[in-house]
Amino acid sequence: MTSNTAISEQAREILITNDRGGYTVPTAGLYPYQWNWDSAVAALGFAQFDVDRAWVEIETLFKGQWADGMVPHILFHKSDPGYFPGPDVWGCEGPIPSSGIIQPPIAATMARFVWEQDKGLGRERLAALYPKMVKWHNWIMRWRLHRGAVCTTHPWETGRDNAPDWDNTMARMDASDVGEYTRRDTAHVNSDDRPTKYDYDRYIKLVQMGRRLNWDQAAMLAESPFRVADPTMTFTTLRAARDLQVIGEALGEDTSGIAASIELLVTGAETLWNEELGGYDSRDVLSGEWAGCLSNASYLCWFAGVENAKMLARLRDVMTRVPFPVPSNDPNAESFDARRYWRGPTWAVVNLLIGIGLEDMGHKTEAKALADKTAGLIKEHGFAEYFDPMNGKAAGGGTFTWTAAVWLAWAGRD
């Protein structure tokens, strides 16, 4: 079996190969631009061997920040006709051509981790980023809350594009007038690993609506048929707030506003507890209905500093019941699909976040078990975008940046 040292060298080489000069693409071809939360995880990976390059990654991400504080989910630094939908479809007017939506705000958390690698080198870089990160946090708190939980306005925002969480909401959407378009993703990977055309029609419908409304948040709030409070956005925003508070206090800043938002988000997180499901769930803000989905995002509670004994019991169960945990969807669910993107596969990047949370909350046995299982998965099946939770086989894109970063920063460490 290949040694950990050799695998670590492969992981470093993937980050270096996917480096485009200031930002890292998730993988060549399939994802040719800078993605928000991918980039934050890439920074964590770079920090294990090149702290300066890690800071550059995050700084480049925030160069795309809009004037109102929003940080887009994609920055289109260079034209690439092989990707759809590109900047011409989004029609945004940020400082860098971009999409009009966000992604899970883990940049503040990863910035804290990078800073902790070398506080002397990082203090000035962190101080420059801090007000930008707070501005983005405040944007989320202004535009995305419902009863204290954070809402998504597009499945792509959560990073969990085709998760079953959105099925009921999307079923009510009429996308019959979306028009013709040509997807590029299925030219790079097996179509059985990707969202269906039914899903994609609705993704594009929401993009078309945002463009028509000039990405005006008030107008979108009033008109959009898609607004779902979900565990991904809520738990990552809460974690970001906690890290911003730590950073702000270290920099001598007034963090009272952040402290207030933490209190509100903690309350909001509890509005996502579905007692009937026995887990944290997504809820449609417009209809009031639960999604009824236990996903890998449900286990991000510890990442957010939220303890829950019932979720811990469920995690222990899935860790023993599924050969390669944590699956993105409950294998007992009718909607489970072991290979189709976020409807079943295991994602090393979410395992990282779950593992960080478990470690922080004192669940060291579970944290180590998850890290060991993730390490074994990568050692046996490579640096894939995601994996079949039942047999471990690689799926999606290969030589994937954040899977390499997960190995370097967490799974492959002693």
Side-chain angles (χ1 to χ4, degrees):
M1 182 175 288
T2 308
S3 69
N4 281 17
T5 301
I7 296 174
S8 295
E9 183 57 39
Q10 292 173 21
R12 287 191 290 271
E13 187 60 33
I14 287 172
L15 265 65
I16 293 167
T17 300
N18 288 340
D19 185 352
R20 295 296 181 268
Y23 69 95
T24 311
V25 299
T27 190
L30 182 60
Y31 301 110
Y33 299 112
Q34 183 178 21
W35 263 258
N36 191 317
W37 72 324
D38 294 71
S39 197
V41 177
L44 180 64
F46 276 119
Q48 310 311 308
F49 63 97
D50 188 343
V51 176
D52 177 72
R53 179 61 187 81
W55 283 117
V56 170
E57 188 78 26
I58 301 174
E59 289 162 352
T60 303
L61 176 64
F62 278 87
K63 286 180 180 178
Q65 185 170 35
W66 290 15
D68 64 359
M70 193 269 275
V71 182
H73 101 291
I74 305 175
L75 296 181
F76 302 107
H77 291 284
K78 299 176 182 178
S79 175
D80 190 319
Y83 181 80
F84 175 87
D88 57 322
V89 178
W90 290 92
C92 297
E93 297 182 357
I96 295 173
S98 73
S99 63
I101 58 176
I102 63 173
Q103 271 194 323
I106 62 172
T109 299
M110 299 307 160
R112 177 185 173 183
F113 290 154
V114 174
W115 169 57
E116 289 175 343
Q117 289 287 108
D118 188 332
K119 289 188 176 181
L121 173 66
R123 183 178 178 86
E124 185 175 341
R125 314 284 282 271
L126 187 67
L129 281 167
Y130 178 74
K132 300 175 184 178
M133 295 189 296
V134 171
K135 190 173 183 181
W136 185 23
H137 175 75
N138 290 340
W139 182 93
I140 294 172
M141 298 299 291
R142 178 181 182 185
W143 292 114
R144 294 301 174 83
L145 292 196
H146 183 263
R147 295 169 55 198
V150 181
C151 300
T152 176
T153 62
H154 193 296
W156 285 340
E157 285 197 320
T158 66
R160 301 190 297 123
D161 301 17
N162 67 332
D165 302 54
W166 332 125
D167 287 358
N168 294 337
T169 305
M170 297 224 292
R172 288 190 289 271
M173 291 176 58
D174 177 11
S176 59
D177 60 347
V178 75
E180 297 296 323
Y181 59 88
T182 301
R183 291 174 62 174
R184 308 291 185 182
D185 57 323
T186 50
H188 295 283
V189 297
N190 187 343
S191 61
D192 290 341
D193 294 353
R194 303 294 295 175
T196 64
K197 184 181 186 303
Y198 171 91
D199 293 328
Y200 230 84
D201 283 351
R202 283 149 183 80
Y203 302 157
I204 300 305
K205 177 75 172 182
L206 290 169
V207 172
Q208 292 173 346
M209 182 201 70
R211 178 169 186 165
R212 175 170 54 80
L213 297 175
N214 295 313
W215 302 104
D216 179 275
Q217 295 302 311
M220 292 171 66
L221 179 61
E223 183 172 330
S224 178
F226 192 99
R227 192 171 184 85
V228 182
D230 96 294
T232 324
M233 303 304 283
T234 301
F235 288 140
T236 56
T237 301
L238 176 51
R239 174 60 189 243
R242 295 190 192 279
D243 290 317
L244 285 171
Q245 185 176 39
V246 170
I247 293 168
E249 289 173 352
L251 295 173
E253 301 286 346
D254 178 7
T255 61
S256 57
I258 296 173
S261 71
I262 291 172
E263 185 175 346
L264 179 57
L265 289 164
V266 167
T267 301
E270 291 313 308
T271 73
L272 298 180
W273 181 258
N274 181 343
E275 186 62 37
E276 183 177 349
L277 177 70
Y280 291 105
D281 193 9
S282 297
R283 55 178 174 80
D284 188 309
V285 168
L286 302 179
S287 70
E289 69 182 321
W290 290 110
C293 297
L294 187 74
S295 69
N296 51 356
S298 304
Y299 299 102
L300 292 176
C301 52
W302 302 289
F303 183 69
V306 175
E307 186 57 88
N308 188 292
K310 292 181 180 179
M311 286 305 305
L312 190 62
R314 298 204 72 155
L315 178 69
R316 288 168 176 162
D317 173 64
V318 79
M319 289 279 286
T320 57
R321 183 163 50 92
V322 177
F324 301 95
V326 174
S328 51
N329 187 19
D330 185 350
N332 290 333
E334 291 183 7
S335 56
F336 178 78
D337 186 329
R339 287 191 64 90
R340 197 176 289 279
Y341 219 38
W342 292 91
R343 301 185 77 84
T346 288
W347 293 72
V349 67
V350 180
N351 284 2
L352 164 73
L353 304 183
I354 296 170
I356 289 171
L358 288 167
E359 181 75 20
D360 287 350
M361 299 293 283
H363 302 301
K364 298 186 184 300
T365 299
E366 291 78 7
K368 185 178 187 307
L370 184 57
D372 288 346
K373 286 179 180 288
T374 305
L377 187 57
I378 293 171
K379 289 176 77 169
E380 185 174 350
H381 297 283
F383 296 100
E385 183 178 3
Y386 50 96
F387 305 87
D388 185 314
M390 297 309 176
N391 59 30
K393 290 183 178 180
T399 59
F400 220 80
T401 291
W402 66 12
T403 308
V406 166
W407 173 271
L408 290 170
W410 178 65
R413 300 188 68 174
D414 293 334

